[in-house]
Amino acid sequence: MAAINSDLSVIGYTFEDIQAMASEVLKHSTLRPKIGIICGTGLDGIAEAVENQTVVSYDSIPGFPVSTVKGHSGHFVFGTLQGKAVLLMRGRLHYYEGYPMWKVAMPVRVMKAVGIETLLVTNAAGGLNPDYKTGDLMVIKDHIDLPGLTGECVLIGKNDERFGPRFLATNGTYDKDLRQKFMEVVAEMGHADIIKEGVYIMIGGPTFSSTAEVRVLRMFGADAVGMSTVPEAVVGRHSSMRVFGVSLITDMVDFEDGSQFQVTHDDVLKVAHQRAQLMKKMFLKFVQFID
Ligand SMILES: O=P(O)(O)O[C@H]1O[C@H](CO)[C@@H](O)[C@H]1O
């Protein structure tokens, strides 16, 4: 009798599958972008600024999973930002949608196969650091992969070395020069007061954290909590991309027992929409500095 889980081929897309999806995406445009952007919940305002747009819906790409969350529309956008070719993901995949972890970040492998070298990731997150406030932006300097630490790392499964190494060092995942440049851009725009740099912790979701849990997350050393980004950043590094991430603090978690405040997804979307124009302006300036 075959051992349980002996068929590792069921975990992950093959290199050829990813190449086929990338070819499908590339058919739609003559642009060959090197910058990829993943838009977080309600943070796809940046897509409005993309010129010469071509939209490729995820469901038109054979084998590509679809986004199911409000605030994630589910398509790639090819175009130019400040004259630079970019590929945006308007809509990401989350573990809590029911996708296995290896599927959550497969679009990053497709992006790599398309030619993306620099990956810019945004997300909406809850603030754990008491010095933060709603509406702040946190440049991610490091992350805590809580699912990964508990056995749900995005790189679990058969490894094809054409994607990257079996064992990956994840310290230094977030590119120092890009972090510094983004901070400078934001400061030059007169918004130094809302920009922070900190540690993002990923939880599986879809539950927002309990009071006891947020205390643990803070004790772990995290400054913001969310349900995404880490698998994408890890796969980005695995694919030798330069990775940059920024969190919009859409709510401040409450450490008090018996607190009446309960965050909702609509609260998250509301703050994301309030900050959409500003984030768009920041990214327009930022991309100018990316080679
Ligand atoms: O991380 P993004 O996709 O920005 O979304 C964040 O917002 C949603 C919760 O409101 C969760 O999906 C959380 O991860």
Side-chain angles (χ1 to χ4, degrees):
M1 194 174 93
I4 293 168
N5 283 341
S6 66
D7 184 8
L8 295 179
S9 62
V10 295
I11 302 179
Y13 289 83
T14 65
F15 191 77
E16 290 72 25
D17 292 337
I18 297 290
Q19 296 295 320
M21 288 187 217
S23 306
E24 187 60 37
V25 174
L26 284 168
K27 266 190 210 158
H28 294 264
S29 176
T30 52
L31 292 174
R32 292 297 174 258
K34 296 200 184 312
I35 303 173
I37 303 176
I38 303 181
C39 303
T41 290
L43 296 173
D44 57 355
I46 182 86
E48 286 166 21
V50 175
E51 294 177 307
N52 313 308
Q53 286 201 17
T54 308
V55 169
V56 186
S57 170
Y58 297 162
D59 59 15
S60 74
I61 308 164
F64 202 95
V66 294
S67 317
T68 63
V69 184
K70 193 171 160 192
H72 292 265
S73 48
H75 49 260
F76 283 108
V77 178
F78 273 104
T80 55
L81 273 181
Q82 306 285 26
K84 299 220 173 185
V86 291
L87 181 64
L88 263 77
M89 275 183 71
R90 262 189 114 155
R92 63 152 51 98
L93 311 169
H94 302 84
Y95 184 64
Y96 62 75
E97 291 174 71
Y99 293 116
M101 200 60 91
W102 55 263
K103 218 175 216 183
V104 165
M106 63 70 76
V108 176
R109 288 200 168 144
V110 175
M111 281 184 148
K112 173 70 181 184
V114 161
I116 301 302
E117 292 172 358
T118 302
L119 182 66
L120 313 179
V121 184
T122 67
N123 65 54
L128 293 163
N129 184 326
D131 293 337
Y132 292 4
K133 49 188 186 323
T134 298
D136 281 352
L137 292 173
M138 184 191 83
V139 170
I140 304 176
K141 70 172 177 202
D142 202 352
H143 69 226
I144 301 170
D145 182 1
L146 203 51
L149 290 175
T150 53
E152 282 285 348
C153 177
V154 68
L155 296 181
I156 280 184
K158 197 169 163 181
N159 189 63
D160 184 329
E161 296 274 329
R162 288 173 292 178
F163 287 131
R166 167 74 289 183
F167 298 101
L168 178 74
T170 57
N171 56 319
T173 293
Y174 301 89
D175 188 275
K176 204 165 175 220
D177 293 341
L178 291 176
R179 276 159 43 201
Q180 206 171 331
K181 197 41 130 181
F182 190 81
M183 306 278 282
E184 275 169 32
V185 162
V186 173
E188 276 164 24
M189 289 173 71
H191 294 292
D193 55 322
I194 63 162
I195 190 86
K196 318 281 187 232
E197 207 179 18
V199 174
Y200 177 91
I201 190 164
M202 181 198 178
I203 57 169
T207 47
F208 292 111
S209 307
S210 71
T211 309
E213 284 165 355
V214 293
R215 288 186 191 139
V216 171
L217 301 181
R218 183 66 185 146
M219 263 182 341
F220 281 169
D223 297 295
V225 52
M227 308 170 194
S228 71
T229 301
V230 173
E232 297 153 359
V234 169
V235 169
R237 277 311 298 148
H238 192 242
S239 314
S240 304
M241 289 176 176
R242 283 206 300 172
V243 176
F244 168 83
V246 62
S247 301
L248 171 67
I249 306 300
T250 50
D251 51 281
M252 287 301 294
V253 307
D254 205 325
F255 292 97
E256 295 305 316
D257 279 320
S259 162
Q260 294 304 304
F261 172 71
Q262 293 198 317
V263 68
T264 67
H265 188 57
D266 283 339
D267 296 334
V268 169
L269 285 167
K270 191 169 153 205
V271 176
H273 290 141
Q274 282 164 357
R275 278 286 188 237
Q277 290 307 312
L278 188 60
M279 295 252 319
K280 179 167 91 182
K281 284 189 194 141
M282 287 172 183
F283 268 75
L284 278 173
K285 272 190 171 281
F286 183 45
V287 291
Q288 290 176 331
F289 298 100
I290 300 175
D291 319 319

